[in-house]
Amino acid sequence: MIRFVTLNEGKYREVSGMLEGAGFECEMLAIDYPEIQCDTLEEVVKSSMAQLTGKIEGDFLIDDSGLFISSLGGFPGVYSSYVYQTIGLEGVLRLLQDVENRAAEFRCCFGLCFEGRNVLFVGGVQGMITQEKRGEGGFGYDPIFVPAGAEKTFAEIPTEEKNKLSHRGKALEKVLEFLKEQ
Ligand code: IMP
């Protein structure tokens, strides 16, 4: 049984779908923990795991993700959550008004505490920021992100399809490989 520590139901839907599809039981643990501000997702995950160690029984998984926009020097990156809650999608689109280079990358870092050992797994997906919001599915920045080689935003495709392309799906494939080897 893997406990996925998150308050985000969208993330849980994606992660539980993949874990259960691979035969692993999964449970959502809605614990709020302060995320310290760091320069990288990996540092955020390491610090979060240190805070959670000893507070959760058994194996657990956490996820920190961010959207890195090239023309903004990687912003919002590790500040993605704050930016989403403050200026939101409209604000990000405004920052990119008349900007030609719309390249961006979504990155995800999972921290897995497995039998007392902490292991990190990362995944990323390149793509473009749209001119306007499109789609009703997904969560967060999904309505403004089109993965490379596709035409639809993450909010316009079903969860299973997003999982095949996404930063989270790629990082979770590595988690699954690790779990299968144990
Ligand atoms: P955190 O990992 O919960 O800190 O997420 C940072 C921000 O990025 C939040 O506003 C999330 O909604 C957003 N985010 C994380 N993963 C995704 C995703 O897969 N799609 C869209 N937005 C995401």
Side-chain angles (χ1 to χ4, degrees):
M1 154 74 75
I2 309 279
R3 297 190 166 83
F4 182 33
V5 184
T6 185
L7 296 176
N8 183 323
E9 295 199 354
K11 282 187 185 179
Y12 182 71
R13 204 168 36 243
E14 294 175 11
V15 169
S16 60
M18 278 184 72
L19 281 173
E20 286 166 5
F24 294 96
E25 256 186 278
C26 176
E27 183 182 275
M28 179 168 171
L29 206 54
I31 297 180
D32 200 7
Y33 55 89
E35 267 184 15
I36 62 156
Q37 210 60 73
C38 301
D39 291 341
T40 64
L41 298 177
E42 287 87 343
E43 286 173 80
V44 176
V45 168
K46 279 185 198 161
S47 118
S48 303
M49 293 196 86
Q51 289 184 62
L52 290 169
T53 298
K55 296 195 180 117
I56 297 171
E57 217 180 289
D59 302 330
F60 67 87
L61 189 66
I62 61 170
D63 157 320
D64 196 52
S65 311
L67 179 65
F68 298 75
I69 300 177
S70 302
S71 64
L72 303 179
F75 184 81
V78 290
Y79 307 105
S80 295
S81 182
Y82 181 72
V83 167
Y84 183 78
Q85 285 164 38
T86 51
I87 62 172
L89 300 184
E90 300 295 351
V92 172
L93 291 177
R94 253 192 324 272
L95 289 176
L96 293 181
Q97 213 167 17
D98 302 325
V99 175
E100 246 179 70
N101 175 11
R102 305 189 73 86
E105 185 184 6
F106 254 130
R107 288 186 209 147
C108 169
C109 178
F110 278 112
L112 173 69
C113 176
F114 184 81
E115 294 178 354
R117 236 185 334 151
N118 288 350
V119 200
L120 303 195
F121 303 87
V122 294
V125 57
Q126 303 284 341
M128 304 291 263
I129 303 297
T130 53
Q131 297 287 347
E132 70 274 303
K133 294 191 274 181
R134 294 200 327 246
E136 302 297 326
F139 66 96
Y141 295 96
D142 280 347
I144 63 166
F145 184 86
V146 176
E151 284 180 4
K152 291 182 178 171
T153 67
F154 273 162
E156 292 178 304
I157 59 176
T159 302
E160 304 88 79
E161 223 173 295
K162 179 183 170 191
N163 277 344
K164 285 185 198 147
L165 304 170
S166 80
H167 50 313
R168 183 164 300 103
K170 289 179 184 170
L172 200 58
E173 281 296 345
K174 296 181 188 172
V175 175
L176 289 173
E177 261 171 54
F178 172 88
L179 288 172
K180 284 174 190 163
E181 278 167 15
Q182 304 307 309

